[in-house]
Amino acid sequence: MGQSLADSFATDVSLFKDSYSIRNKCDILIDSDNAVKPENILQQQWKSIADFKANKLIPYSWINGTVYVKFTLQNSAAVQDTVYLYPGNSFRSITLSKISATGNFIDLKDESEEDGFQPILLSPFEKTTYLTELHFSKRKFNSLSLQLIQKSYL
């Protein structure tokens, strides 16, 4: 994708036209005890999602806990861009927050309830890290796919 090594974990939304998997560019935190607090979440032991073998279906142990996914997006274009996050299926709730430069969380309005797609608006030349809090529904066929989809592709 032509990104520098320093930005290898940032996904440039201006470089893809339809959908793009961000799975290998995410960190994940599994809070099976629901004990993580917002004030210390960034100091927890995050792992690369590539370390987990949950390619198709998630482990059953994730269903009762909270799964956090952290990823960075950038828009290298001179125009605003909207992409849609599709984390997978089936969720009770999806919370998406921007992480500010000071480490504060800015919650984005949940627009994923109807179809599972959460819009993310990026200003020209913006680079932002996001935190997604996921609560899976109790189903045998839950998946974590972590796709970004361009607005024009939907």
Side-chain angles (χ1 to χ4, degrees):
M1 288 195 20
Q3 296 176 177
S4 71
L5 186 58
D7 289 335
S8 64
F9 283 102
T11 300
D12 191 338
V13 300
S14 69
L15 297 179
F16 67 93
K17 300 295 180 216
D18 45 32
S19 69
Y20 182 78
S21 173
I22 59 170
R23 180 176 174 76
N24 291 329
K25 294 187 173 194
C26 296
D27 287 332
I28 190 167
L29 175 64
I30 311 301
D31 183 13
S32 56
D33 300 328
N34 292 312
V36 174
K37 303 286 185 244
E39 57 271 10
N40 67 10
I41 191 167
L42 296 177
Q43 290 75 38
Q44 298 297 313
Q45 293 294 322
W46 291 81
K47 294 185 178 184
S48 170
I49 201 165
D51 294 343
F52 291 91
K53 298 196 184 320
N55 287 336
K56 299 275 184 195
L57 303 177
I58 64 160
Y60 186 77
S61 61
W62 292 11
I63 291 174
N64 293 321
T66 303
V67 175
Y68 297 95
V69 178
K70 185 173 55 170
F71 57 94
T72 301
L73 301 180
Q74 67 184 35
N75 178 10
S76 64
V79 296
Q80 179 176 292
D81 201 350
T82 300
V83 294
Y84 290 79
L85 173 67
Y86 179 73
N89 68 23
S90 295
F91 296 95
R92 290 188 319 254
S93 69
I94 300 169
T95 304
L96 182 64
S97 303
K98 284 184 174 187
I99 302 174
S100 73
T102 59
N104 293 320
F105 299 104
I106 303 162
D107 292 339
L108 302 180
K109 179 182 177 190
D110 183 4
E111 298 182 40
S112 66
E113 286 185 11
E114 189 172 312
D115 57 11
F117 297 96
Q118 175 64 42
I120 301 173
L121 177 76
L122 289 134
S123 298
F125 309 111
E126 177 182 355
K127 182 176 179 182
T128 303
T129 298
Y130 294 87
L131 178 73
T132 306
E133 180 181 327
L134 304 169
H135 296 272
F136 288 93
S137 60
K138 293 185 180 187
R139 296 187 57 195
K140 288 183 179 182
F141 303 106
N142 294 2
S143 67
L144 185 64
S145 61
L146 298 165
Q147 292 280 323
L148 290 179
I149 302 168
Q150 281 288 346
K151 184 177 183 177
S152 61
Y153 193 67
L154 289 177

